[in-house]
């Protein structure tokens, strides 16, 4: 991992990890890709493409839960340990990660809130019947205005839950799985680290949203590549902003202790 701390360096690390584990990484992410394609086909068949919007927009809320396996693999490779496909879905440590399940509940609950809010807003503007995404949504002035308001207000509601999910999950998950930190402490450190690196984490969050959204909207099959790359990159984020800081703090404490002994 390079000495520079930037979104580019994190993505570069993610790509390197992906190319080193290409076969098993793509095979694991294939399951999520198939699920997304089936979901797309279902909504298109029901002429309910507009309802896809909250599902796509909220994907990155639960995405941190999907990349836990990639976090473990990246950590093992970084420390020179061999990896197998089972590392992507099976926790082989003896630590109790009950905090992960609580975090899973919170993030999924945020996702559920986002979906229900978006569906309620959809009902307010379009009723209970599915509405196909066609030229009428643009040419019809009333439908065009309703479309704009639906996207705006559901996106606004989603933004709040998305920020909460990002604050909680971005560092809490790796802290729990790599250091076995308890849930409350992991959440505290995660929020504290994000707030201490606001601009950098804003760029990282924006990168996640843009890449996942473009993939889900433009080319769903690319999810088999994008998901593992971002998953491995998330380990670099954790390593640069948590592990390296911990190492520096420990060294500073040791130096202070040595100076105290000398005096």
């Amino acid at each position: 991992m390079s000495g520079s701390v930037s979104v580019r360096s994190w993505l570069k690390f993610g790509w390197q990890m992906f190319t080193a584990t290409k076969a098993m990484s793509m095979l694991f992410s294939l399951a999520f890709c198939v699920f997304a394609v089936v979901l797309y086909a279902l909504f298109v068949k029901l002429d309910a493409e507009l309802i896809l919007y909250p599902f796509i927009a909220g994907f990155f809320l639960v995405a941190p839960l999907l990349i836990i396996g990639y976090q473990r693999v990246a950590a093992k490779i970084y420390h020179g340990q061999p990896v197998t496909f089972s590392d992507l879905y099976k926790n082989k440590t003896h630590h109790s990660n009950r905090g992960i399940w609580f975090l899973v509940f919170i993030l999924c609950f945020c996702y559920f809130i986002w979906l229900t809010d978006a569906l309620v807003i959809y009902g307010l503007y379009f009723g209970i019947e599915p509405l196909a995404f066609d030229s009428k949504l643009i040419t019809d002035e009333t439908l065009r205005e309703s479309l704009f308001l639906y996207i705006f207000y559901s996106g606004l509601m989603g933004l709040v839950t998305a920020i909460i999910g990002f604050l909680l999950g971005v560092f809490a998950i790796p802290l729990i799985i790599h250091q076995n930190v308890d849930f409350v402490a992991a959440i505290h450190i995660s929020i504290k680290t994000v707030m201490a690196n606001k601009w950098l984490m804003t760029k990282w969050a924006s990168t996640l949203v843009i890449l996942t959204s473009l993939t889900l909207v433009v080319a769903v099959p690319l999810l088999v590549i994008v998901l593992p790359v971002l998953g491995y990159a998330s380990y670099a984020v954790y390593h640069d902003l948590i592990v390296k800081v911990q190492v520096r703090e420990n060294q500073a404490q040791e130096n202070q202790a040595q100076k105290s002994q000398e005096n």
Side-chain angles (χ1 to χ4, degrees), residues 25-35 70 223-224:
S25 295
M26 293 181 68
L27 181 61
F28 184 67
S29 59
L30 182 62
F32 308 115
C33 182
V34 170
F35 176 78
Y70 296 118
L223 196 64
V224 297

Side-chain angles (χ1 to χ4, degrees), residues 210-232:
I210 292 171
L211 288 179
T212 54
S213 298
L214 285 177
T215 302
L216 290 170
V217 172
V218 178
V220 175
L222 287 179
L223 196 64
V224 297
I225 298 175
V226 173
L227 187 61
V229 169
L230 294 179
Y232 293 132

Side-chain angles (χ1 to χ4, degrees), residues 78-133:
Y78 182 77
H79 291 97
Q81 301 174 2
V83 296
T84 62
F85 183 78
S86 62
D87 291 317
L88 287 168
Y89 63 88
K90 187 176 181 181
N91 184 12
K92 297 181 180 180
T93 67
H94 299 290
H95 298 306
S96 174
N97 286 337
R98 289 176 295 179
I100 283 290
W101 293 108
F102 192 46
L103 198 53
V104 167
F105 169 77
I106 292 177
L107 293 179
C108 289
F109 184 68
C110 289
Y111 190 36
F112 176 75
I113 291 175
W114 188 329
L115 291 179
T116 53
D117 286 346
L119 292 176
V120 168
I121 295 172
Y122 176 89
L124 291 175
Y125 290 105
F126 302 111
I128 60 174
E129 296 297 326
L131 184 66
F133 190 80

Side-chain angles (χ1 to χ4, degrees), residues 198-213:
K198 295 183 185 69
W199 175 237
L200 186 58
M201 295 312 297
T202 298
K203 290 196 293 183
W204 176 238
S206 300
T207 301
L208 294 177
V209 173
I210 292 171
L211 288 179
T212 54
S213 298

Side-chain angles (χ1 to χ4, degrees), residues 8 15 17 22 27 57 81 92 101 108 149 159 161 166 170 185-186 209-210 215 224 226 236 245 247 251:
R8 179 178 295 182
W15 179 255
M17 292 293 102
K22 188 180 298 183
L27 181 61
Q81 301 174 2
K92 297 181 180 180
W101 293 108
C108 289
L149 293 174
L159 179 63
T161 55
F166 183 77
V170 64
V209 173
I210 292 171
T215 302
V224 297
V226 173
V245 171
V247 170
Q251 289 177 343

